[in-house]
mmCIF file of all heavy atoms in Angstrom:
data_model
loop_
_atom_site.group_PDB
_atom_site.id
_atom_site.type_symbol
_atom_site.label_atom_id
_atom_site.label_comp_id
_atom_site.label_asym_id
_atom_site.label_seq_id
_atom_site.Cartn_x
_atom_site.Cartn_y
_atom_site.Cartn_z
ATOM 1 N N TYR A 644 18.731 -15.191 -69.963
ATOM 2 C CA TYR A 644 17.769 -16.259 -70.374
ATOM 3 C C TYR A 644 16.610 -16.232 -69.370
ATOM 4 O O TYR A 644 16.742 -15.665 -68.252
ATOM 5 C CB TYR A 644 18.371 -17.655 -70.275
ATOM 6 C CG TYR A 644 19.529 -17.756 -71.349
ATOM 7 C CD1 TYR A 644 20.877 -17.938 -70.942
ATOM 8 C CD2 TYR A 644 19.196 -17.685 -72.607
ATOM 9 C CE1 TYR A 644 21.798 -17.932 -71.939
ATOM 10 C CE2 TYR A 644 20.263 -17.877 -73.609
ATOM 11 C CZ TYR A 644 21.463 -18.010 -73.286
ATOM 12 O OH TYR A 644 22.455 -18.044 -74.251
ATOM 13 N N GLY A 645 15.564 -16.973 -69.722
ATOM 14 C CA GLY A 645 14.416 -17.033 -68.788
ATOM 15 C C GLY A 645 13.302 -15.980 -68.918
ATOM 16 O O GLY A 645 13.192 -15.402 -69.836
ATOM 17 N N CYS A 646 12.650 -15.896 -67.659
ATOM 18 C CA CYS A 646 11.462 -15.112 -67.637
ATOM 19 C C CYS A 646 11.650 -13.679 -67.463
ATOM 20 O O CYS A 646 12.735 -13.191 -67.260
ATOM 21 C CB CYS A 646 10.476 -15.664 -66.545
ATOM 22 S SG CYS A 646 11.298 -15.617 -64.973
ATOM 23 N N GLN A 647 10.481 -13.025 -67.210
ATOM 24 C CA GLN A 647 10.614 -11.525 -66.951
ATOM 25 C C GLN A 647 11.326 -11.212 -65.625
ATOM 26 O O GLN A 647 11.802 -10.167 -65.403
ATOM 27 C CB GLN A 647 9.165 -10.912 -67.013
ATOM 28 C CG GLN A 647 8.574 -10.991 -68.409
ATOM 29 C CD GLN A 647 7.142 -10.754 -68.372
ATOM 30 O OE1 GLN A 647 6.381 -11.378 -67.642
ATOM 31 N NE2 GLN A 647 6.567 -9.866 -69.243
ATOM 32 N N MET A 648 11.022 -12.060 -64.677
ATOM 33 C CA MET A 648 11.780 -11.813 -63.426
ATOM 34 C C MET A 648 13.200 -11.825 -63.588
ATOM 35 O O MET A 648 14.017 -10.944 -62.904
ATOM 36 C CB MET A 648 11.565 -13.118 -62.550
ATOM 37 C CG MET A 648 10.208 -13.343 -62.212
ATOM 38 S SD MET A 648 9.789 -12.431 -60.830
ATOM 39 C CE MET A 648 8.982 -13.707 -59.995
ATOM 40 N N ASN A 649 13.834 -12.584 -64.513
ATOM 41 C CA ASN A 649 15.266 -12.648 -64.728
ATOM 42 C C ASN A 649 15.557 -11.320 -65.512
ATOM 43 O O ASN A 649 16.670 -10.773 -65.247
ATOM 44 C CB ASN A 649 15.600 -13.796 -65.720
ATOM 45 C CG ASN A 649 16.132 -14.916 -64.788
ATOM 46 O OD1 ASN A 649 15.971 -14.992 -63.543
ATOM 47 N ND2 ASN A 649 16.782 -15.905 -65.503
ATOM 48 N N GLU A 650 14.733 -10.911 -66.393
ATOM 49 C CA GLU A 650 14.986 -9.560 -67.163
ATOM 50 C C GLU A 650 15.097 -8.465 -66.097
ATOM 51 O O GLU A 650 15.932 -7.616 -66.117
ATOM 52 C CB GLU A 650 13.942 -9.192 -68.085
ATOM 53 C CG GLU A 650 13.976 -10.012 -69.437
ATOM 54 C CD GLU A 650 12.857 -9.856 -70.279
ATOM 55 O OE1 GLU A 650 12.203 -8.734 -70.340
ATOM 56 O OE2 GLU A 650 12.464 -10.752 -70.992
ATOM 57 N N ASP A 652 15.885 -8.736 -62.858
ATOM 58 C CA ASP A 652 17.167 -8.952 -62.196
ATOM 59 C C ASP A 652 18.388 -8.526 -62.914
ATOM 60 O O ASP A 652 19.277 -7.914 -62.329
ATOM 61 C CB ASP A 652 17.218 -10.417 -61.834
ATOM 62 C CG ASP A 652 16.301 -10.793 -60.621
ATOM 63 O OD1 ASP A 652 15.647 -9.867 -60.041
ATOM 64 O OD2 ASP A 652 16.126 -12.155 -60.313
ATOM 65 N N ASN A 680 22.676 -14.644 -66.935
ATOM 66 C CA ASN A 680 21.653 -14.809 -66.008
ATOM 67 C C ASN A 680 20.800 -16.069 -66.531
ATOM 68 O O ASN A 680 20.210 -16.038 -67.603
ATOM 69 C CB ASN A 680 20.729 -13.553 -66.076
ATOM 70 C CG ASN A 680 19.826 -13.464 -64.998
ATOM 71 O OD1 ASN A 680 19.608 -14.483 -64.190
ATOM 72 N ND2 ASN A 680 19.018 -12.367 -64.798
ATOM 73 N N THR A 681 20.710 -16.987 -65.704
ATOM 74 C CA THR A 681 20.225 -18.351 -66.138
ATOM 75 C C THR A 681 18.776 -18.841 -65.807
ATOM 76 O O THR A 681 18.392 -18.178 -64.793
ATOM 77 C CB THR A 681 21.138 -19.380 -65.607
ATOM 78 O OG1 THR A 681 21.116 -19.380 -64.173
ATOM 79 C CG2 THR A 681 22.667 -19.290 -66.016
ATOM 80 N N CYS A 682 18.307 -19.701 -66.429
ATOM 81 C CA CYS A 682 17.001 -20.274 -66.145
ATOM 82 C C CYS A 682 17.208 -21.849 -66.040
ATOM 83 O O CYS A 682 17.890 -22.383 -66.687
ATOM 84 C CB CYS A 682 16.097 -19.971 -67.384
ATOM 85 S SG CYS A 682 14.388 -20.729 -67.117
ATOM 86 N N ALA A 683 16.414 -22.322 -65.205
ATOM 87 C CA ALA A 683 16.402 -23.750 -64.855
ATOM 88 C C ALA A 683 15.076 -24.469 -64.992
ATOM 89 O O ALA A 683 14.886 -25.579 -64.677
ATOM 90 C CB ALA A 683 17.026 -24.101 -63.443
ATOM 91 N N VAL A 684 14.078 -23.770 -65.580
ATOM 92 C CA VAL A 684 12.648 -24.256 -65.434
ATOM 93 C C VAL A 684 12.461 -25.539 -66.298
ATOM 94 O O VAL A 684 11.620 -26.450 -66.014
ATOM 95 C CB VAL A 684 11.582 -23.196 -65.783
ATOM 96 C CG1 VAL A 684 11.532 -22.930 -67.304
ATOM 97 C CG2 VAL A 684 10.390 -23.490 -65.163
ATOM 98 N N ARG A 685 13.225 -25.640 -67.428
ATOM 99 C CA ARG A 685 13.138 -26.805 -68.293
ATOM 100 C C ARG A 685 14.510 -27.062 -68.775
ATOM 101 O O ARG A 685 15.466 -26.423 -68.567
ATOM 102 C CB ARG A 685 12.245 -26.493 -69.523
ATOM 103 C CG ARG A 685 10.762 -26.648 -69.240
ATOM 104 C CD ARG A 685 9.932 -26.026 -70.466
ATOM 105 N NE ARG A 685 10.057 -24.610 -70.591
ATOM 106 C CZ ARG A 685 9.455 -23.773 -69.882
ATOM 107 N NH1 ARG A 685 8.525 -24.133 -69.046
ATOM 108 N NH2 ARG A 685 9.688 -22.399 -70.102
ATOM 109 N N PRO A 688 16.605 -24.559 -71.601
ATOM 110 C CA PRO A 688 17.494 -23.352 -71.083
ATOM 111 C C PRO A 688 18.770 -23.790 -70.419
ATOM 112 O O PRO A 688 19.760 -23.099 -70.545
ATOM 113 C CB PRO A 688 16.577 -22.651 -70.239
ATOM 114 C CG PRO A 688 15.335 -23.368 -70.063
ATOM 115 C CD PRO A 688 15.232 -24.400 -71.046
ATOM 116 N N GLY A 714 21.352 -16.185 -61.373
ATOM 117 C CA GLY A 714 19.912 -16.689 -61.737
ATOM 118 C C GLY A 714 19.671 -18.040 -61.204
ATOM 119 O O GLY A 714 20.338 -18.575 -60.362
ATOM 120 N N CYS A 715 18.556 -18.599 -61.659
ATOM 121 C CA CYS A 715 18.018 -19.808 -61.067
ATOM 122 C C CYS A 715 18.876 -21.071 -61.007
ATOM 123 O O CYS A 715 19.052 -21.793 -60.187
ATOM 124 C CB CYS A 715 16.670 -20.126 -61.724
ATOM 125 S SG CYS A 715 15.479 -18.932 -61.219
ATOM 126 N N LEU A 716 19.602 -21.231 -62.283
ATOM 127 C CA LEU A 716 20.459 -22.450 -62.328
ATOM 128 C C LEU A 716 21.646 -22.310 -61.387
ATOM 129 O O LEU A 716 22.136 -23.256 -60.849
ATOM 130 C CB LEU A 716 20.986 -22.426 -63.825
ATOM 131 C CG LEU A 716 21.930 -23.660 -64.093
ATOM 132 C CD1 LEU A 716 21.055 -25.038 -63.932
ATOM 133 C CD2 LEU A 716 22.319 -23.666 -65.604
ATOM 134 N N LEU A 719 21.263 -24.081 -58.127
ATOM 135 C CA LEU A 719 21.093 -25.560 -58.086
ATOM 136 C C LEU A 719 22.448 -26.403 -58.145
ATOM 137 O O LEU A 719 23.362 -25.854 -58.777
ATOM 138 C CB LEU A 719 20.257 -26.077 -59.191
ATOM 139 C CG LEU A 719 18.907 -25.506 -59.330
ATOM 140 C CD1 LEU A 719 18.272 -26.008 -60.636
ATOM 141 C CD2 LEU A 719 18.106 -25.895 -58.084
ATOM 142 N N PRO A 737 19.690 -16.287 -57.182
ATOM 143 C CA PRO A 737 18.660 -15.205 -57.377
ATOM 144 C C PRO A 737 18.365 -14.312 -56.067
ATOM 145 O O PRO A 737 18.016 -13.381 -56.029
ATOM 146 C CB PRO A 737 17.244 -15.916 -57.762
ATOM 147 C CG PRO A 737 17.801 -17.332 -58.085
ATOM 148 C CD PRO A 737 19.069 -17.635 -57.450
ATOM 149 N N GLY A 783 10.265 -15.470 -55.004
ATOM 150 C CA GLY A 783 10.093 -16.826 -54.515
ATOM 151 C C GLY A 783 8.555 -17.303 -54.719
ATOM 152 O O GLY A 783 7.727 -16.602 -55.234
ATOM 153 N N CYS A 791 7.866 -28.356 -60.634
ATOM 154 C CA CYS A 791 8.536 -27.169 -60.573
ATOM 155 C C CYS A 791 9.767 -26.867 -59.790
ATOM 156 O O CYS A 791 9.697 -27.321 -58.557
ATOM 157 C CB CYS A 791 7.477 -26.012 -60.274
ATOM 158 S SG CYS A 791 8.150 -24.394 -60.714
ATOM 159 N N ILE A 792 10.861 -26.411 -60.404
ATOM 160 C CA ILE A 792 11.984 -26.172 -59.687
ATOM 161 C C ILE A 792 12.113 -24.877 -59.094
ATOM 162 O O ILE A 792 12.945 -24.568 -58.243
ATOM 163 C CB ILE A 792 13.205 -26.527 -60.735
ATOM 164 C CG1 ILE A 792 14.618 -26.587 -59.980
ATOM 165 C CG2 ILE A 792 13.405 -25.210 -61.766
ATOM 166 C CD1 ILE A 792 14.728 -27.889 -59.264
ATOM 167 N N VAL A 793 11.204 -23.904 -59.391
ATOM 168 C CA VAL A 793 11.378 -22.540 -58.930
ATOM 169 C C VAL A 793 11.280 -22.307 -57.480
ATOM 170 O O VAL A 793 12.231 -21.581 -57.040
ATOM 171 C CB VAL A 793 10.167 -21.648 -59.686
ATOM 172 C CG1 VAL A 793 10.281 -20.224 -59.123
ATOM 173 C CG2 VAL A 793 10.433 -21.563 -61.226
ATOM 174 N N PRO A 794 10.497 -23.070 -56.580
ATOM 175 C CA PRO A 794 10.630 -22.759 -55.250
ATOM 176 C C PRO A 794 11.998 -23.195 -54.665
ATOM 177 O O PRO A 794 12.426 -22.603 -53.749
ATOM 178 C CB PRO A 794 9.620 -23.850 -54.792
ATOM 179 C CG PRO A 794 8.584 -24.034 -55.779
ATOM 180 C CD PRO A 794 9.379 -23.824 -57.108
ATOM 181 N N THR A 796 14.922 -22.814 -56.583
ATOM 182 C CA THR A 796 15.743 -21.855 -57.048
ATOM 183 C C THR A 796 15.569 -20.497 -56.525
ATOM 184 O O THR A 796 16.617 -19.752 -56.219
ATOM 185 C CB THR A 796 15.849 -21.704 -58.553
ATOM 186 O OG1 THR A 796 14.517 -21.187 -58.912
ATOM 187 C CG2 THR A 796 16.026 -23.041 -59.364
ATOM 188 N N ARG A 797 14.268 -20.179 -56.180
ATOM 189 C CA ARG A 797 14.081 -18.695 -55.851
ATOM 190 C C ARG A 797 13.582 -18.689 -54.306
ATOM 191 O O ARG A 797 13.307 -17.687 -53.720
ATOM 192 C CB ARG A 797 13.115 -18.093 -56.685
ATOM 193 C CG ARG A 797 13.788 -17.812 -58.008
ATOM 194 C CD ARG A 797 12.859 -16.965 -58.967
ATOM 195 N NE ARG A 797 13.538 -16.380 -60.022
ATOM 196 C CZ ARG A 797 14.052 -15.130 -60.279
ATOM 197 N NH1 ARG A 797 13.812 -14.157 -59.245
ATOM 198 N NH2 ARG A 797 14.854 -14.835 -61.280
ATOM 199 N N GLN A 828 6.122 -14.645 -59.089
ATOM 200 C CA GLN A 828 5.696 -16.209 -59.364
ATOM 201 C C GLN A 828 4.224 -16.360 -59.202
ATOM 202 O O GLN A 828 3.572 -17.057 -59.800
ATOM 203 C CB GLN A 828 6.484 -17.129 -58.643
ATOM 204 C CG GLN A 828 7.885 -17.193 -58.888
ATOM 205 C CD GLN A 828 8.199 -17.439 -60.330
ATOM 206 O OE1 GLN A 828 7.336 -18.075 -61.055
ATOM 207 N NE2 GLN A 828 9.291 -16.970 -60.950
HETATM 208 FE FE1 SF4 B 2477 12.196 -17.511 -64.322
HETATM 209 FE FE2 SF4 B 2477 11.461 -19.906 -63.426
HETATM 210 FE FE3 SF4 B 2477 13.318 -19.696 -65.177
HETATM 211 FE FE4 SF4 B 2477 13.764 -18.906 -62.762
HETATM 212 S S1 SF4 B 2477 13.470 -20.976 -63.432
HETATM 213 S S2 SF4 B 2477 14.308 -17.875 -64.614
HETATM 214 S S3 SF4 B 2477 11.849 -18.204 -62.131
HETATM 215 S S4 SF4 B 2477 11.200 -19.143 -65.517
#
Side-chain angles (χ1 to χ4, degrees):
Y644 295 111
C646 60
Q647 292 164 313
M648 301 273 228
N649 265 17
E650 284 173 29
D652 285 349
N680 193 357
T681 61
C682 174
V684 79
R685 283 171 290 276
C715 289
L716 185 58
L719 300 176
C791 189
I792 198 69
V793 174
T796 64
R797 289 189 169 254
Q828 290 303 332

